[in-house]
Amino acid sequence: MNFNENLLEKFKDGALNYKSEKELCAALGLTRDFEKKALKEGLKALEGQGEILLNKNKKYVSVEAVGAKRGVLSGNERGFAFFVPDDKSGDLFIPHSSLNGAMHGDCVLCVKVTGKRGSTDEGEVAAVLKRGYDSVVGTYDSRARFGFVQPDDRRFDGDVFVTGKNSLKAKDGDKVVVKITKYPSRGKSAEGRIEEILGREGDDGMEELSI
């Protein structure tokens, strides 16, 4: 059993849950720099695999300990989303405030929570494992020194902010392809770079091309 496998086993046994990186070093008796580096790399790898989570208190915990499930987000133009779990155990409603930077199409880990009105079919995104999209098609809204791309697919909540230098000199109303360079975070929009101008909205064949 290698280091990461042994680390995961200890998390699943409950021995390492709810500990910070520093506390994990102490619990595992890791004092040398190369050991601490191995732990850091191991934690990052297990996070990426969706085996453990780093909670809001900067403590690591196994997904089993918090009941987190893996699945995909299906967005809605009104700002909320639905979590569709891989195990088909039932979709969960995700309010906008609980998306935590996740977008339509993302593969995420989600935990079930009790809603403000006592609902039991609500969830919160605990981690984004894989982004569903790295570019979207939309209409460019030009401003003085920047602009926004409004995605055609309204399942994407919010516009993509584009600085002037990343606009490819697109004009107001242009149909464009925008590459996402920074995904949304709490209170901040996604940012992007226009990679292609498809044409003016309403041009012959433009809707077919954007699809």
Side-chain angles (χ1 to χ4, degrees):
M1 183 180 293
N2 63 32
F3 180 81
N4 285 6
E5 291 173 339
N6 184 54
L7 187 63
L8 178 58
E9 282 300 315
K10 290 182 181 298
F11 269 109
K12 288 187 174 182
D13 289 344
L16 300 180
N17 283 330
Y18 300 104
K19 295 183 184 298
S20 65
E21 185 175 328
K22 183 177 180 179
E23 290 169 336
L24 288 171
C25 284
L28 295 169
L30 307 180
T31 57
R32 291 174 287 187
D33 288 344
F34 79 89
E35 293 175 325
K36 294 178 180 180
K37 182 180 179 182
L39 174 64
K40 184 183 291 289
E41 293 175 348
L43 292 172
K44 185 176 181 180
L46 294 179
E47 272 193 277
Q49 295 164 14
E51 298 287 359
I52 63 173
L53 291 168
L54 182 63
N55 67 19
K56 295 177 181 179
N57 296 319
K58 304 299 181 182
K59 307 282 188 177
Y60 289 94
V61 60
S62 69
V63 294
E64 291 84 1
V66 294
K69 293 188 177 184
R70 182 194 299 259
V72 177
L73 282 185
S74 179
N76 184 282
E77 63 181 318
R78 294 171 62 185
F80 57 81
F82 289 98
F83 171 72
V84 183
D86 291 347
D87 65 4
K88 312 297 182 184
S89 58
D91 298 356
L92 294 176
F93 171 77
I94 314 293
H96 185 269
S97 60
S98 296
L99 287 172
N100 295 325
M103 300 173 65
H104 166 70
D106 288 351
C107 177
V108 302
L109 285 175
C110 183
V111 293
K112 198 170 186 178
V113 298
T114 301
K116 293 181 179 180
R117 298 181 179 180
S119 60
T120 58
D121 60 349
E122 190 169 309
E124 179 178 4
V125 174
V128 176
L129 299 179
K130 184 178 180 181
R131 293 293 182 175
Y133 296 86
D134 60 6
S135 62
V136 296
V137 174
T139 302
Y140 187 64
D141 179 5
S142 178
R143 305 296 171 87
R145 296 182 180 179
F146 59 90
F148 296 92
V149 175
Q150 183 182 66
D152 286 350
D153 189 340
R154 300 312 298 163
R155 290 177 296 179
F156 288 98
D157 173 53
D159 300 337
V160 181
F161 175 79
V162 179
T163 61
K165 66 179 182 180
N166 290 324
S167 68
L168 204 64
K169 297 183 178 180
K171 298 179 180 179
D172 193 56
D174 283 354
K175 187 74 70 175
V176 301
V177 178
V178 60
K179 172 82 171 182
I180 299 174
T181 57
K182 188 175 182 180
Y183 288 91
S185 57
R186 189 177 292 271
K188 293 185 178 181
S189 301
E191 297 180 18
R193 178 182 66 249
I194 293 178
E195 294 199 318
E196 185 177 358
I197 298 174
L198 301 177
R200 298 290 292 179
E201 188 174 24
D203 285 352
D204 292 341
M206 190 50 54
E207 294 305 317
E208 289 82 359
L209 180 58
S210 67
I211 293 173

